[in-house]
Amino acid sequence: MLHLLHNTGQAMFMLFEAIWFIRHAFGRRSRQETFTQLYVTGIKSLAVITVVALFTGMILALQTGLELKRWGYEEFIGSAVAVTMIREMGPFMTGLIIAASVGSAIAAQLGTMTVSEEVAALEVMSINPNRFLVMPRLVALAVMMPILTVYTNILGIMGGAVVGATQLGVSVRAYMDNATQFAANKDLYVGLLKAFVFGIIIVTVACHQGFVTREGAVGVGKATRRSVIISFLIILVVGYMITRLFYI
Amino acid sequence: MIRFENVTKVLGGRAVLDQVDFEIGEGETFVIVGLSGAGKSVTLKHIIRLMQPDSGRIYIDNEDLVAADRRELQELRRKFGVLFQGAALLQWMNVRDNVGLPLREHTRMSDDEIRKQVDDRLELLGLADAAEKFPSDISGGMQKRAGLARAIIMNPKIVLYDEPTSGLDPVTSRRIDDLIVDMRERLGITSVVVTHDLHSALAIGSRIMMLHQGRIVENAPPADFIRSQNETVQSFLESQYITKKGKWEELIHG
Ligand SMILES: Nc1ncnc2c1ncn2[C@@H]1O[C@H](COP(=O)(O)OP(=O)(O)OP(=O)(O)O)[C@@H](O)[C@H]1O
Ligand SMILES: [Mg+2]
């Protein structure tokens, strides 16, 4: 318990310091690293996200569509898919994928740097690792998570439209009309807020796990696995809390 | 220049350093030897406050290192260059960018000036051809030399070496030894060298300190070190085929 508090405190300190350094994100010393991280974060998981997003939308459309069709309301799948994607599934799925791909890569990289004394070397050179390593990754995830979530939403809704048209006899036009009619701006904002918060959670957990890595290669494996599991858990809990906060 | 006063550090329930007391003077090449786990790296880490002692004091140029605040610590660390055991180069940067990193971070030099300074050092260390290569693509010896180039790029007064020759072939090891001696003679740099290699300790050291089970068992100039009456020292010497009388006398600096 004490251990947990200590770690949380450490991670929070790291996060706040990184936030403080964001003003240097595009300065001479960090510019290149910030762009690299933005690029890596944006590109790395695009393929996986595409597939997952399409199928999430298709599954949602099929499940709810079959149920709605029994009652003759199948034209409502547009809104069912759009609202579920935008409010919940978009940020959630994107968060899980990014935690598993980008987050684990960050934990592995910083963990390797820690056990090979590269982080200690930075400290000795008076280069703050929170500015040099954490801040560019924080910027990248805070920016890219909402963008990727919008992408997930769009693909999910498109996947739903395909299923609607081919399996349920709902024309694409009717599907889209219904989707845009019921999805509110609030849903979009709350969804993007979630994505943003998830991004910060992922980067904080991954960097912290990287920095506390011990015992060589075995330790790096442990840190990577822990970073994914911890991010998943926090994303679930915080996702629920944000939903509660805005929809009750 | 560097002074330890009664420094004790407990790690994993064991006193890795137990009331350690020593002083390193300006211009010395101070060598720390000892068996694996004797606390050599831990001692080095205390000198640059990568670790804090549980009790005792450490002074750098008479300034209290243990109590230094963030800004003072930064000032104190500026006096140091550190060569880590595994060189600790950043893997995603080529050798030139690695060596130039401190300049890029702490000075307002233009990229051209930085490049010139870096290439000078690389030349000095025989790495001119490796400037564009990445750490994973060069040999261990070259990595150590690149690490050394980075350590001295800011013209530090003191350079710390953690096992600069371990894992290197004998020829490269002697070259690194020569570099360390060179550094003192040409630039007046104070060196603290951690090593397992008694041969190089005797060849380069102005003073040799042996740690054993957290305590100092000997701290003497090389000529006296090999005559030590301490049993631990004697068995350590014998393990590396060094006897009191022999050609090692010639190797030792006066
Ligand atoms: N961060 C740490 N946490 C716990 N124990 C540590 C830590 N760092 C070092 N130790 C322990 O302290 C002891 C001394 O370690 P140190 O690294 O100084 O040895 P060394 O003399 O450098 O040995 P080697 O020649 O193998 O490098 C070892 O027993 C090690 O297990
Ligand atoms: Mg060591």
Side-chain angles (χ1 to χ4, degrees), chain A residues 17 28 125-126 128 131, chain B residues 70 74 77 105-106 109:
Chain A
E17 214 179 38
R28 174 167 105 123
M125 292 187 279
S126 292
N128 190 324
R131 194 208 92 239
Chain B
R70 236 178 135 126
Q74 201 164 337
R77 278 181 174 164
E105 288 282 326
H106 295 304
M109 280 186 200

Side-chain angles (χ1 to χ4, degrees), chain A residues 129-196:
Chain A
N130 292 343
R131 194 208 92 239
F132 191 76
L133 298 170
V134 179
M135 182 273 287
R137 288 164 177 77
L138 173 68
V139 170
L141 270 116
V143 170
M144 281 303 169
M145 265 298 290
I147 293 177
L148 289 171
T149 298
V150 169
Y151 177 77
T152 304
N153 290 341
I154 292 171
L155 281 177
I157 293 169
M158 276 165 46
V162 171
V163 169
T166 56
Q167 314 279 309
L168 300 163
V170 179
S171 76
V172 172
R173 161 166 289 244
Y175 176 94
M176 284 301 175
D177 281 351
N178 187 261
T180 44
Q181 196 181 341
F182 282 91
N185 277 345
K186 180 187 171 188
D187 296 330
L188 184 63
Y189 297 148
V190 174
L192 293 187
L193 173 71
K194 271 187 194 166
F196 175 77

Side-chain angles (χ1 to χ4, degrees), chain A residues 220-238:
Chain A
V220 174
K222 275 191 207 162
T224 310
R225 197 185 62 219
R226 267 210 301 266
S227 112
V228 174
I229 293 173
I230 296 172
S231 302
F232 274 20
L233 291 177
I234 301 182
I235 283 177
L236 271 169
V237 174
V238 171

